[in-house]
Structure formats: C-alpha cells, structure tokens
C-alpha cells in the first residue's frame, strides 16, 4: 500500500508532466504547418497524448490494417486457415492501380492463399490484393459488420474499396478515422489481440515488415533496435495543388521497455510528398526522444 501511495503522489505526476511536455512539443511543431495534422499517442496502454486526436481524417491505405483484422476473424469464424486459397477473376486485377503483385505475376494467377494476399496488402500495400480480400468477406457491409463484432472503434469506417477510390478519388473520404481511434486499435492489437489468435500474430509479423513509407514513422527509429509495426496511407494530388493525405500509424516497442501506439495523419498538405513524409518522421522523433529521455529521468 505504501508503494502505491508513493507512486501516486510522487512518480505518477512526473510521468503526467512528461506526457504534457510531449503534447506541448507536438502542438508547437504542428501549429505552423501548411496542412491539417492529427496525432494520437497511447503510452504503455494508459497515458494518451493527442493533438486534433478526435477530428476525422481520410485513412487511405491505413484502412488495410482494420481490413486485415476483419479478414483474420472471418477466416477463423469459417474454420479456415491462412493456407486456404482464394480464387479471383482476371477482372479483379486492375492495371491502373498500385499493385506490385500484378507487376510480379501479371494476370497469369487467379488464386492465392489468404496469407499471400494479406502479405501483399499489408507489407506492400497492394490495392488489388486488398480489394480481393474485401470482396471475399462480403464487401464493405461485410467488413463493417465484422469490425463492430471484434470491437474496432466506431470512429473507424470503411466506406469505399480501393477500386472505388481509384475511379473517384474523393470517395477516399468515406474511409475515415480519428487519430485517437486508430491509436487505440493499434494499442489493443499489440497488447491484446495479437496474443489471442494465431492469425493475428501473423498479421503482427506482416506489419512489422511493412516496406512502404519508411521515411515516415520508421525513419528516426531505424537504428535504435526498436520494433515497429505500422501501416501507411498515401493520397492523391488535389485540384488546388495539395496532397489529400499522407499517413502512418502503428505500435512501437522500445529497447528500454517503453511501448506506445501512434497515429499520424496529415491531410490537405501544401508540401510535396517528401516534405510531408518528413513531417511525420519529425513527429515520430519528438515522441521517441521525449519518451526515451523521460524513461532515463
């Protein structure tokens, strides 16, 4: 009892002050930027730092993460495994979209395992693989039903497929989330879900191998022996010369024992792709440095 009281009165306020310092540093960095930026960080599953964390942002390909969770649940609920085969028609392989899978295989393959499709979707952010999976579980309505069943926050909504968004880019705004909701999902996934189902643990391995957007959240952490699982999202040029969205969200496990989830969304950016990605990298660095120093103190 004495230890608990000492923690509450002496140690806990130190961490509260440290988290407030992170929030202030983020606010100061963000306020001068020519973009709409939202950030949420959940530290050790309990302490939350947020700047515009409850505002809506388009997910772009970040939506492939909650989609993957629905696929895993659907596979398990139907007594299937990651090794089961999904067949698809040649029409499912769109040529005018981002698809390294199509670039590698062409249209010669009309079936892949669930694992292969998830790897293409999460590791490489392949749009065709994502839509094949989405259609297999019942489309948007099927994904929505499963998301609510497995406890994905209501503020995360999938309202358009990758093909929908390619045909009409502004439909991407139907795939929306708040930074706080996405940080909560990644935090729950890292601390709970990945340990409850083998399929979820495989998804963890995939997001920890993500090859897209390495100049974003990952950039300042690449040499720190840190484990990071993340999913990126990249938007499109708008009619007024901006970029609709550049995002990166995930979980981070530091060598010093600290862990946190982080969601960063940059919408309507007045900068180019590299400059916008650098904003996310700097936000990642601010959080990482502050938590590392706080742990030392």
């Amino acid at each position: 009892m004495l230890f608990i009281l000492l923690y509450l009165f002496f140690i806990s306020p130190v961490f509260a002050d440290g988290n407030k310092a992170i929030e202030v540093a983020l606010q100061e960095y963000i306020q001068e930027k020519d973009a709409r930026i939202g950030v949420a960080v959940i530290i050790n599953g309990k302490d939350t730092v947020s700047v515009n964390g409850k505002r809506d942002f388009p997910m772009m390909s970040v939506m492939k993460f909650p989609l993957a969770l629905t696929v895993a649940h659907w596979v398990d609920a139907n007594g299937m495994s990651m090794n089961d085969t999904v067949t698809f028609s040649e029409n499912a392989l769109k040529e005018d979209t981002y698809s390294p899978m199509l670039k590698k295989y062409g249209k010669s393959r009309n079936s892949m395992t669930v694992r292969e499709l998830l790897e293409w979707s999460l590791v490489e952010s392949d749009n065709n693989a994502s839509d094949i999976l989405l259609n297999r579980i019942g489309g948007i309505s099927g994904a929505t039903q499963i998301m609510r069943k497995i406890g994905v926050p209501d503020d995360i909504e999938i309202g358009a497929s990758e093909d929908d968004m390619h045909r009409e880019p502004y439909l991407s705004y139907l795939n929306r989330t708040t930074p706080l909701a996405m940080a909560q999902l990644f935090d729950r996934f890292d601390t709970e879900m990945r340990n409850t189902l083998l399929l979820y643990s495989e998804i963890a391995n995939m997001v920890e191998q993500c090859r897209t957007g390495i100049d974003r959240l990952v950039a300042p952490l690449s040499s720190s022996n840190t484990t990071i699982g993340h999913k990126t999202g990249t938007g499109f040029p708008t009619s007024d010369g901006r970029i609709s969205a550049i995002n990166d969200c995930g979980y981070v496990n530091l060598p010093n024992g600290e862990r946190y989830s982080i969601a960063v969304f940059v919408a309507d950016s007045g900068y180019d792709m590299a400059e916008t990605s650098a904003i996310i990298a700097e936000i990642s660095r601010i959080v990482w440095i502050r938590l590392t120093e706080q742990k030392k103190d």
Side-chain angles (χ1 to χ4, degrees), residues 57-206:
F57 288 84
M59 287 192 285
M60 302 304 172
S61 284
V62 172
M63 60 86 70
K64 291 169 183 169
F65 175 67
L67 173 61
L69 301 184
T70 69
V71 171
H73 178 84
W74 182 87
V75 167
D76 184 65
N78 284 279
M80 300 168 60
S81 77
M82 288 286 203
N83 295 319
D84 280 300
T85 298
V86 177
T87 59
F88 45 87
S89 70
E90 184 176 304
N91 292 334
L93 299 171
K94 309 297 183 183
E95 296 180 345
D96 56 349
T97 191
Y98 181 73
S99 183
M101 180 179 77
L102 179 63
K103 185 176 180 179
K104 179 175 181 178
Y105 296 117
K107 294 193 174 184
S108 61
R109 294 187 63 172
N110 66 350
S111 67
M112 288 189 185
T113 65
V114 175
R115 179 181 291 103
E116 287 176 304
L117 289 168
L118 281 172
E119 286 176 340
W120 281 113
S121 178
L122 291 173
V123 179
E124 302 288 355
S125 203
D126 190 286
N127 291 340
N128 282 325
S130 175
D131 276 358
I132 289 168
L133 290 169
L134 177 64
N135 292 331
R136 189 69 183 86
I137 64 172
I140 292 167
S141 62
T144 300
Q145 290 176 9
I146 298 172
M147 282 199 302
R148 302 304 165 239
K149 184 179 296 184
I150 64 176
V152 173
D154 291 344
D155 283 336
I156 299 176
E157 294 186 5
I158 295 177
S161 67
E162 290 288 353
D163 187 45
D164 291 334
M165 292 186 285
H166 187 78
R167 287 185 287 103
E168 177 47 71
Y170 285 93
L171 290 177
S172 62
Y173 290 96
L174 297 177
N175 291 340
R176 51 164 290 276
T177 186
T178 64
L180 184 57
M182 190 57 67
Q184 289 170 340
L185 181 59
F186 269 101
D187 181 72
R188 180 179 164 226
F189 176 76
D190 185 39
T191 59
E192 174 191 337
M193 295 178 72
R194 66 185 297 172
N195 300 316
T196 63
L197 194 65
L198 178 61
L199 286 76
Y200 288 151
S201 68
E202 291 204 45
I203 288 174
N205 290 333
M206 293 174 194

Side-chain angles (χ1 to χ4, degrees), residues 271-285:
Y271 308 100
D272 65 23
M273 186 79 68
E275 292 169 323
T276 307
S277 295
I279 290 173
I280 298 178
E282 179 59 16
I283 289 170
S284 179
R285 191 195 68 81

